[in-house]
Amino acid sequence: MLRVGVLVSGGGTNLQAILDAIDNGKITNAKVELVVSNNAKAFALERARNHGIEAICISPKSYESRELFNQALLQEINKRNLDLLVLAGYLVKIPEEMIAAYRGRIINIHPSLIPSFCGVGFYGLRVHEAALARGVKVTGATVHFVDEGMDSGPIILQKAVEVQPGDTPQVLQRRVMEQAEWVILPQAIDMIANHRI
């Protein structure tokens, strides 16, 4: 059984997609053991608790330095003997020590077709604003392994989504979540849990 930790910053819609996929059998041989947020008010923490999952907040704001925060985060993660860490809308840079300790065992969902609209500064609505400003006809989402770079690790899965005339960043964001993110993130976890990667 793959022991999964999910790191989130906001509402937790990708977390919900993972939990639903476990409940309905689209993800097998995996269990979410821990949800971590850097934001104490993140609705994702409530989603986790409602599902009987341990949910904790570890915020950089609670520590005197980023180094102390990085140590605390890694310490809490290490305590749980997790097999896979899933970044599901986590807006904090992962410490290099954690990447080294969990190399090949951290994945991220990004709301574009990498290498487009990725890297430093591209997160949340900014990605969709940039896609619309560029005038692309197709966007999508990517699940990739996390390395020391920003959105630069090996790609696991991608799914394309058409941009529609009149799309706003918010409308496009919702379509990308529904048609791509909530599909390929659970799929990638299932592939890892069943040794198909």
Side-chain angles (χ1 to χ4, degrees), residues 83-100:
D83 302 306
L84 179 69
L85 301 178
V86 178
L87 310 184
Y90 188 60
L91 302 179
V92 176
K93 186 166 172 34
I94 299 300
E96 288 194 7
E97 311 91 285
M98 184 177 290
I99 292 167

Side-chain angles (χ1 to χ4, degrees), residues 174-194:
R174 185 73 191 187
R175 187 179 312 115
V176 168
M177 285 193 293
E178 290 174 351
Q179 294 182 12
E181 293 180 45
W182 300 347
V183 175
I184 63 173
L185 184 57
Q187 192 180 342
I189 294 168
D190 185 65
M191 289 167 69
I192 292 166
N194 291 286

Side-chain angles (χ1 to χ4, degrees), residues 83-140:
D83 302 306
L84 179 69
L85 301 178
V86 178
L87 310 184
Y90 188 60
L91 302 179
V92 176
K93 186 166 172 34
I94 299 300
E96 288 194 7
E97 311 91 285
M98 184 177 290
I99 292 167
Y102 289 87
R103 187 162 309 280
R105 297 190 294 145
I106 308 174
I107 64 172
N108 180 51
I109 181 83
H110 183 76
S112 78
L113 296 173
I114 291 173
S116 296
F117 313 114
C118 66
V120 176
F122 284 102
Y123 59 88
L125 272 181
R126 291 179 178 190
V127 175
H128 306 292
E129 289 166 353
L132 291 172
R134 184 67 183 93
V136 297
K137 305 303 178 202
V138 176
T139 185

Side-chain angles (χ1 to χ4, degrees), residues 31-104:
K31 183 171 191 251
V32 176
E33 296 284 349
L34 176 68
V35 172
V36 177
S37 180
N38 60 303
N39 173 7
K41 294 183 177 148
F43 186 64
L45 294 172
E46 197 170 316
R47 288 182 197 269
R49 291 183 190 114
N50 290 342
H51 230 80
I53 297 164
E54 182 183 10
I56 60 174
C57 175
I58 305 171
S59 171
K61 294 174 185 168
S62 303
Y63 296 88
E64 288 181 20
S65 70
R66 184 50 73 111
E67 184 60 37
L68 289 172
F69 162 76
N70 289 347
Q71 288 172 8
L73 180 64
L74 185 55
Q75 201 169 33
E76 286 299 323
I77 297 290
N78 285 344
K79 280 184 198 172
R80 280 30 179 233
N81 296 317
L82 300 170
D83 302 306
L84 179 69
L85 301 178
V86 178
L87 310 184
Y90 188 60
L91 302 179
V92 176
K93 186 166 172 34
I94 299 300
E96 288 194 7
E97 311 91 285
M98 184 177 290
I99 292 167
Y102 289 87
R103 187 162 309 280

